[in-house]
Amino acid sequence: MTNDEGSERLRKIVHVDMDAFYASVEQRDNPELRGLPVAVGYPAARGVVAAASYEARKFGVHSAMPSVTAKRKCPDLIFVRPRFDVYKAVSLQIRSIFAEYTPMIEPLSLDEAYLDVTENLKGMEIATEIAAEIRAKIKRVTGLNASAGISYNKFLAKMASDLNKPNGQAVITPKNGPAFVEALPVKKFHGVGPATAEKMHRLEIETGADLKEKTLEFLVEHFGKSGPYFYGIARGIDNRQVKPNRVRKSVGAEDTFSEDIHSFEPAREGLQPLIEKVWSYCEANEIGAKTVTLKVKYADFSQITRSKTVTAPLQTIGDLEEVIGLLLAPIFPPRRGIRLLGVMLSSLERQTSEVAPQLRLAL
């Protein structure tokens, strides 16, 4: 990637994303599962798929899908209970590999991270070569496949990492970035969830090109503080920095359902992938949370929140599930249908890790 004369130096950003991470770890550790459709999660009525192997994905099984739906799509699907302690240990191994190349590492979850390799510890000039080396070492050390995206900003690096999955990598150059975004459906944009995509559809925004036609004022009017971000990425511009060791004030996830929810079990089922998403972020960043907030938006768009603060940071995903259950139960039966649920963790604080040094010594 070259610089235009007089312009700010272009960054070299790599987004590394492990392929079907939880399921791949299970297949690695149990050879009898290799080549078979595997779902990490619980097969119970309220269970949700946390991850699906590529063999399962061929049947349309994917993460966040209700287990009963997954089993219907793939009758031979094998469910394996998640082992977050193992996934975290492998994640720390992968993180130590990243650290050989750059201190500028921003984990998004246990299985993906941004790396700024503009200036790197190996003195390598070509970011695609760095990504290839990292992926090869991850395979050698952990036995797992990783995909990577390389570009001049975080948004495009994230989009590029999906282009040649599994076990591949892709680069989006400054020359190709704007055209790539223009041709992309907005529903595939990172940062555009189902609810936002639906709103864009109502505003006749279907592609990056449609988004680019809108003025900044229009986007701020309809999307608030996200307006400037959408205005930028429509032009292939994303000035967000890779932020290592950051502790957010909060971390959350929410989902709008295709049909309104009226009973407890579907609500609890719908919350499971959100719980796993926020917990994975905390695990990856070694962050503890004391306050749990449940967000509920009803069919008439009115909303409520319910929070609980504990004395010490939550220790396991089971603790988080228990608190969410306590917050969720009293709202049933609901006064009207529920269209959206969200989970937010706050009162975050850095946790010390006793595992990481041992893993680094083992490497």
Side-chain angles (χ1 to χ4, degrees):
M1 298 181 190
T2 58
N3 305 335
D4 295 323
E5 187 176 348
S7 68
E8 184 181 340
R9 185 183 185 192
L10 286 171
R11 293 177 296 155
K12 300 174 184 178
I13 310 297
V14 177
H15 177 260
V16 180
D17 193 3
M18 300 301 295
D19 297 330
F21 182 52
Y22 299 168
S24 295
V25 171
E26 298 302 336
Q27 289 180 314
R28 179 197 72 176
D29 293 351
N30 183 354
E32 293 182 1
L33 296 176
R34 293 174 192 170
L36 299 177
V38 173
V40 176
Y42 299 94
R46 77 176 202 184
V48 174
V49 175
S53 68
Y54 281 95
E55 295 86 356
R57 293 182 188 189
K58 291 176 183 176
F59 292 87
V61 178
H62 57 76
S63 61
M65 175 178 283
S67 298
V68 290
T69 305
K71 193 72 174 176
R72 190 166 61 245
K73 286 179 174 289
C74 180
D76 295 327
L77 188 63
I78 301 168
F79 280 91
V80 180
R81 288 179 176 270
R83 299 181 296 156
F84 282 98
D85 56 337
V86 176
Y87 309 147
K88 182 177 181 181
V90 177
S91 181
L92 287 169
Q93 285 183 295
I94 295 165
R95 191 88 51 82
S96 69
I97 293 170
F98 295 161
E100 295 175 18
Y101 291 83
T102 177
M104 300 294 286
I105 305 163
E106 181 182 333
L108 299 179
S109 60
L110 291 175
D111 62 341
E112 61 175 320
Y114 289 115
L115 285 66
D116 188 330
V117 297
T118 312
E119 296 178 2
N120 59 84
L121 300 175
K122 301 277 189 177
M124 298 171 68
E125 289 293 322
I126 302 174
T128 51
E129 292 180 1
I130 295 174
E133 267 196 27
I134 288 173
R135 291 176 48 242
K137 183 151 191 183
I138 289 173
K139 179 71 172 180
R140 193 163 65 248
V141 171
T142 70
L144 302 171
N145 291 327
S147 295
I150 305 98
S151 197
Y152 56 99
N153 63 43
K154 289 167 75 171
F155 173 74
L156 289 173
K158 170 78 171 174
M159 302 309 301
S161 65
D162 282 334
L163 294 179
N164 287 323
K165 268 186 165 291
N167 196 29
Q169 65 182 56
V171 60
I172 298 176
T173 65
K175 181 180 178 181
N176 298 334
F180 172 85
V181 175
E182 285 187 19
L184 197 67
V186 290
K187 65 183 179 182
K188 292 190 176 181
F189 278 31
H190 175 58
V192 174
T196 304
E198 181 185 314
K199 185 173 183 179
M200 287 187 174
H201 174 71
R202 292 199 300 268
L203 295 169
E204 299 184 341
I205 301 172
E206 303 290 351
T207 67
D210 296 335
L211 188 61
K212 189 176 180 180
E213 289 178 0
K214 303 302 180 183
T215 65
L216 177 59
E217 291 74 19
F218 176 90
L219 294 174
V220 170
E221 177 188 349
H222 290 279
F223 300 101
K225 63 183 180 181
S226 297
Y229 172 71
F230 292 146
Y231 183 84
I233 61 173
R235 291 157 175 76
I237 298 168
D238 176 10
N239 294 322
R240 293 174 301 153
Q241 301 294 310
V242 171
K243 296 179 180 178
N245 301 318
R246 64 174 181 168
V247 177
R248 291 182 182 177
K249 292 182 179 179
S250 64
V251 56
E254 60 184 43
D255 193 15
T256 302
F257 303 105
S258 55
E259 295 181 3
D260 291 347
I261 289 173
H262 297 272
S263 56
F264 179 86
E265 287 297 329
R268 181 61 190 80
E269 184 179 282
L271 281 166
Q272 189 62 31
L274 307 180
I275 291 170
E276 288 167 1
K277 184 175 182 179
V278 297
W279 187 257
S280 182
Y281 177 87
C282 289
E283 287 272 67
N285 290 276
E286 298 179 1
I287 290 170
K290 291 181 181 178
T291 300
V292 181
T293 301
L294 173 70
K295 177 181 176 181
V296 181
K297 184 179 288 186
Y298 294 102
D300 63 356
F301 288 87
S302 64
Q303 68 179 48
I304 61 168
T305 58
R306 297 290 183 265
S307 296
K308 181 175 178 60
T309 299
V310 294
T311 54
L314 299 169
Q315 295 298 304
T316 68
I317 191 171
D319 294 340
L320 175 55
E321 290 169 343
E322 183 178 346
V323 174
I324 288 293
L326 292 172
L327 295 172
L328 183 66
I331 72 169
F332 285 92
R335 50 195 175 90
R336 54 182 63 85
I338 295 170
R339 75 183 311 268
L340 175 147
L341 288 169
V343 175
M344 186 176 76
L345 302 181
S346 53
S347 302
L348 305 181
E349 55 187 59
R350 182 73 63 193
Q351 304 291 293
T352 57
S353 172
E354 298 176 0
V355 183
Q358 297 170 12
L359 286 170
R360 290 194 187 99
L361 288 172
L363 297 173

